[in-house]
Amino acid sequence: MFIEIQELEQHPIDFEEEIGPDVLDLGEDFRQIAPLHTAGRAQLVEEQHGKHKIVKDIRVDGSLNMRVELACARCLEPVIQDVSHKFDLLYRPQGTDAGREELSVTSAEAEVSYYQGEGLLLEDVLREQVLLALPLKAICRDDCKGLCPHCGKNLNVEQCACAEPVEDPRWLALKDIREKLNN
Ligand SMILES: [Zn+2]
Ligand SMILES: [Zn+2]
């Protein structure tokens, strides 16, 4: 969905969209497994720059909900996570702020980014917000035992032979002495 400046000059745009898997490129670590749901509003914010110049910003605020699958950080089995995220963003025309620092930010709580040309693709906004909202890692359950560092077996599924505790050779020596003393 393209958010056009020209349309925003007439009225704010309320959006409510379902975005299917594979529309947003989330990289290889995440798989979107259900449609992403988003709702919000885009509106024009006019900023007076100097005496004569009006800069047309686009403010986008809303929320998104989605379900993703990623690998458990310990055992690499798939984990499903629900992600919810709220955003309130301000897009200025590309180049507006080049070499300027005296600008007043219209909305103090809004993050500032830039748009090029006639407007802004909602999908680009969402992709960026999704990447911010995704968990850095997840575990499948609190007591996940992970993979054996030696043989790579999933210890939630089976116990392997390398996990047996190794006896300290110094204690073995003491045990020897004690056995000799006892005899
Ligand atoms: Zn796990
Ligand atoms: Zn092992």
Side-chain angles (χ1 to χ4, degrees):
M1 174 186 167
F2 193 69
I3 301 168
E4 223 175 332
I5 274 286
Q6 224 176 6
E7 192 180 346
L8 290 176
E9 284 172 339
Q10 314 299 319
H11 54 81
I13 300 172
D14 289 317
F15 57 88
E16 185 162 0
E17 300 261 313
E18 301 267 324
I19 310 243
D22 302 325
V23 174
L24 310 175
D25 179 10
L26 303 181
E28 305 210 324
D29 296 338
F30 299 94
R31 203 162 71 83
Q32 184 187 333
I33 54 175
L36 174 152
H37 182 255
T38 183
R41 164 172 276 211
Q43 54 195 313
L44 189 69
V45 176
E46 294 192 330
E47 281 187 275
Q48 186 82 38
H49 282 201
K51 273 195 179 138
H52 305 291
K53 198 174 175 208
I54 289 176
V55 171
K56 291 173 178 174
D57 298 339
I58 303 173
R59 182 173 177 182
V60 186
D61 71 285
S63 61
L64 64 89
N65 296 288
M66 71 186 305
R67 180 165 279 193
V68 292
E69 188 183 275
L70 66 163
C72 169
R74 292 185 196 159
C75 72
L76 307 180
E77 289 297 312
V79 184
I80 290 169
Q81 296 258 297
D82 288 316
V83 176
S84 305
H85 183 64
K86 279 190 171 30
F87 47 88
D88 185 355
L89 310 156
L90 192 70
Y91 289 85
R92 288 208 167 106
Q94 186 92 49
T96 311
D97 294 341
R100 306 177 56 126
E101 284 174 37
E102 74 272 27
L103 290 178
S104 62
V105 176
T106 312
S107 163
E109 77 275 17
E111 297 171 53
V112 178
S113 306
Y114 298 91
Y115 72 90
Q116 280 179 311
E118 301 308 307
L120 192 58
L121 202 59
L122 180 62
E123 285 76 5
D124 287 345
V125 175
L126 292 174
R127 178 173 179 275
E128 206 176 291
Q129 293 306 306
V130 166
L131 290 176
L132 282 175
L134 287 172
L136 288 177
K137 62 177 188 175
I139 50 173
C140 60
R141 55 184 215 223
D142 285 342
D143 64 345
C144 171
K145 297 193 188 86
L147 301 178
C148 169
H150 305 293
C151 68
K153 274 185 184 151
N154 184 345
L155 300 176
N156 298 315
V157 180
E158 58 182 324
Q159 188 57 262
C160 62
C162 25
E164 273 169 23
V166 179
E167 273 193 271
D168 189 317
R170 285 168 299 178
W171 291 112
L172 282 178
L174 279 177
K175 214 161 115 189
D176 264 6
I177 294 170
R178 199 178 297 142
E179 271 165 20
K180 276 179 195 147
L181 288 174
N182 287 345
N183 290 337

